[in-house]
Amino acid sequence: MAYRPEGLRTMDEAQEAPQPSPAGIGVRGWLRWAWRQLTSMRVALLLLMLLAIAALPGAVFPQAPQDAAAVASYKADQPQLSRWLERLGLFDVYGAPWFAAIYLLLFVSLVGCILPRTRAHVAALRAAPSRVPRRLSRFPVRDTHTTTASPEQVDRAVRSALGRRFRVARTPDGLSAERGYLRETGNIVFHLSLVGVLVALAAGQLLSYRGQAVVVEGRSFANAVVDYDTFTPGTLVDSDDLEPFTFTLTEMASEFTVDAQARDFAAHVVVTEPDGDTVEDVIRVNYPINAAGANIYLAGNGFAPHLTVRDAEGEVAFSQPVPFLPEDDFYTSRGVVKVPDVSPGLDQLGFTGYLLPTAVVDEAGARSVHPQPNAPLLVLDVYAGDLGLDDGVPQNVYELATDGMTQVMDGPEEAKILLEPGQEVELPDGLGTISFDTLPRFAALDLRYDPSLTVLLVSALLAMAGLAASLFAPRRRLWVRTTHDDGRTVVEAAALARGDDPGLERELERVMTAVRAVGPTPQEDT
């Protein structure tokens, strides 16, 4: 076990030592005591753990900034509990005052820890190595040797053995060498990097935005809020002042093996930058593109059959592609079509069902056997009534609310509409017609703008490097004293490490081996 003189404490131990009670020392004493507690490493670690615990409700309860519809549904299902969750801010954890308070206290605590340590570390770097202790014999790791070499020769041998890894200085009592300042440097870099991570995360919450959009082949997307399916802006983001780039999805290509294993997905786009420059690019899974500082990721893909619905008066009530969401490896996709009433006195229509890219119909029913559109087939149920489109309440485009609707029957059975591309069929009860015009694909894209990502990445890498240095860089001191008398030089050496250091004895042995190689002992000389 490494030797340490009685009463000597490390900086960490000094910070974590019990502080005197502030009782009876006045307001100034109270403030000083509170500052010392806040800026202790123990409190910083407690605040870091508390911040992690405080973030957990954000993973348990739906969050309003990310999914307002899920929050509304939760309130409808759990009205009593929701009132308390609302009061505690658990539907917006990261924007709650109590979460911001923990975040700010952790930031102040880390800064308060780092500044004194940095000053002390800079002072230690500028100071000369410590003087050689009077009694080297008290150290557990020590060695002695007597040689005929001069003290100057011994000094040169010691300096050569220590190399540039040690700071070496000649003191009145001998040579003093130190190494391992990288350990404390790494510790400081680690904590500074944590501050950098906190700053980057805070900047990301303020300056970033994120949105999702489904884009069908042949159609364009503009970086405006109205073109996003969902949009989550940062606190300081002006939704009306986004960078005005656009892109057009020219092709959504997919590649599958014969046994329906996915090989590749590629969204071919033409991007128009804010300055008017146009460039062709390809978005692949895990390979986003960048447009005006925003990263565009390929999050999913599927089919969007173009359907045209005419009402009983022959008027076109609906004509556009409808994304159907895949539910299995064979791209069996479910979708909803909501048809408004364009002719007075007629019911609104709703369709829900499945798209089968490679359909097989047998006694067991209809199913898809491959994700590519080798034999596409639409299987739809029909509803008539009130879709609730005129109520002004936002609806999920992938769900059909049938509370105000009646399923259309074909005789005693539920009406089933089977459609192949290019086919048009009449709806039961004279409700009109529906046609399956084309089968384009769609790309589900995730767009994210976050100027703090570079700072966050650099801070994380520096934190890892600093932690590695603080854990593995050895902190060692080594002293060598020479006494010359009657042609003989007595060499005394000792080494000391901070904490357990298995390599300390090898370090001293390497130095003494170099000393022994300088000249013979007096016995060998005779």
Side-chain angles (χ1 to χ4, degrees):
M1 189 173 181
Y3 170 79
R4 187 168 66 190
E6 183 179 358
L8 180 64
R9 295 186 300 180
T10 66
M11 189 175 298
D12 291 340
E13 293 170 338
Q15 287 185 339
E16 296 178 2
Q19 302 294 330
S21 171
I25 57 177
V27 175
R28 187 174 180 180
W30 271 100
L31 293 175
R32 184 178 299 174
W33 177 83
W35 175 254
R36 287 177 179 173
Q37 297 301 315
L38 178 61
T39 56
S40 67
M41 189 58 61
R42 178 179 57 223
V43 171
L45 292 175
L46 288 174
L47 287 172
L48 187 60
M49 182 177 65
L50 183 60
L51 187 69
I53 295 174
L56 290 178
V60 176
F61 302 108
Q63 298 297 290
Q66 285 73 37
D67 195 346
V71 173
S73 176
Y74 191 92
K75 289 181 177 179
D77 295 338
Q78 303 284 344
Q80 296 292 337
L81 178 61
S82 296
R83 279 197 288 269
W84 285 101
L85 296 179
E86 186 76 31
R87 292 174 184 174
L88 297 174
L90 296 182
F91 288 130
D92 186 11
V93 169
Y94 308 112
W98 51 267
F99 189 86
I102 298 174
Y103 197 92
L104 183 60
L105 284 174
L106 176 60
F107 184 85
V108 173
S109 180
L110 285 174
V111 173
C113 289
I114 292 169
L115 291 180
R117 296 185 70 154
T118 302
R119 287 196 298 267
H121 184 53
V122 171
L125 288 174
R126 299 177 63 181
S130 61
R131 297 186 61 177
V132 178
R134 290 184 179 181
R135 292 184 297 130
L136 297 180
S137 58
R138 64 180 180 172
F139 292 94
V141 181
R142 63 184 184 277
D143 197 1
T144 60
H145 179 66
T146 303
T147 179
T148 58
S150 65
E152 291 77 13
Q153 291 175 310
V154 172
D155 283 5
R156 286 195 295 270
V158 171
R159 291 177 182 272
S160 177
L162 294 176
R164 302 180 63 178
R165 297 173 298 112
F166 279 79
R167 294 174 57 207
V168 184
R170 161 60 69 176
T171 69
D173 300 320
L175 287 179
S176 178
E178 294 180 346
R179 67 166 296 187
Y181 287 97
L182 181 62
R183 188 186 190 97
E184 181 64 12
T185 301
N187 204 343
I188 293 174
V189 168
F190 172 73
H191 288 89
L192 283 174
S193 299
L194 288 183
V195 174
V197 169
L198 292 177
V199 171
L201 291 175
Q205 290 292 321
L206 296 175
L207 304 175
S208 67
Y209 65 82
R210 184 174 185 177
Q212 291 75 38
V214 171
V215 184
V216 180
E217 284 179 327
R219 302 211 168 192
S220 298
F221 170 88
N223 189 34
V225 175
V226 294
D227 266 17
Y228 284 95
D229 296 325
T230 60
F231 183 77
T232 306
T235 307
L236 301 182
V237 173
D238 185 357
S239 301
D240 297 327
D241 195 27
L242 303 180
E243 288 290 336
F245 69 85
T246 63
F247 63 84
T248 300
L249 179 64
T250 57
E251 181 186 7
M252 179 63 232
S254 62
E255 183 180 345
F256 296 89
T257 62
V258 176
D259 57 349
Q261 297 298 314
R263 294 288 300 274
D264 186 37
F265 299 104
H268 298 262
V269 296
V270 177
V271 182
T272 302
E273 296 283 355
D275 58 5
D277 290 343
T278 300
V279 60
E280 295 183 3
D281 213 333
V282 180
I283 312 172
R284 285 188 164 86
V285 179
N286 297 327
Y287 292 92
I289 66 171
N290 187 277
N295 289 325
I296 306 175
Y297 300 85
L298 179 60
N301 69 95
F303 297 98
H306 191 289
L307 304 177
T308 299
V309 180
R310 296 179 182 272
D311 62 19
E313 300 294 332
E315 298 291 334
V316 176
F318 183 92
S319 182
Q320 67 184 52
V322 181
F324 276 57
L325 303 183
E327 293 187 344
D328 60 22
D329 293 339
F330 300 114
Y331 273 52
T332 301
S333 306
R334 189 176 187 277
V336 169
V337 183
K338 300 180 182 182
V339 182
D341 50 331
V342 296
S343 298
L346 296 181
D347 286 334
Q348 297 173 345
L349 300 178
F351 299 86
T352 180
Y354 289 91
L355 169 69
L356 310 175
T358 301
V360 172
V361 181
D362 53 23
E363 296 178 354
R367 66 184 187 280
S368 179
V369 296
H370 198 274
Q372 293 290 29
N374 299 319
L377 177 67
L378 271 173
V379 182
L380 300 174
D381 294 327
V382 188
Y383 292 82
D386 182 12
L387 289 169
L389 300 177
D390 302 325
D391 298 341
V393 179
Q395 294 187 9
N396 188 334
V397 297
Y398 302 108
E399 293 182 2
L400 181 65
T402 59
D403 296 341
M405 309 194 76
T406 303
Q407 187 167 6
V408 177
M409 307 298 289
D410 186 8
E413 298 181 352
E414 299 173 352
K416 291 286 185 183
I417 305 299
L418 302 182
L419 278 173
E420 296 179 354
Q423 187 178 9
E424 182 180 24
V425 300
E426 292 187 2
L427 300 175
D429 300 336
L431 294 174
T433 63
I434 182 171
S435 63
F436 185 176
D437 303 328
T438 57
L439 186 59
R441 294 178 181 268
F442 73 81
L445 302 174
D446 192 336
L447 292 84
R448 180 172 183 179
Y449 172 79
D450 191 346
S452 68
L453 289 180
T454 301
V455 176
L456 184 62
L457 175 61
V458 172
S459 298
L461 293 177
L462 287 176
M464 293 177 62
L467 182 62
S470 66
L471 291 176
F472 302 114
R475 182 77 168 94
R476 296 169 181 168
R477 289 181 177 179
L478 191 144
W479 301 279
V480 177
R481 176 186 291 121
T482 57
T483 305
H484 187 71
D485 183 32
D486 194 21
R488 297 167 27 156
T489 301
V490 178
V491 182
E492 295 179 88
L496 177 66
R498 175 177 292 180
D500 294 332
D501 187 351
L504 185 63
E505 293 186 7
R506 291 194 300 270
E507 189 82 74
L508 182 61
E509 182 180 354
R510 188 171 55 81
V511 171
M512 295 304 294
T513 299
V515 170
R516 291 184 175 92
V518 173
T521 62
Q523 293 81 359
E524 293 172 342
D525 193 38
T526 57

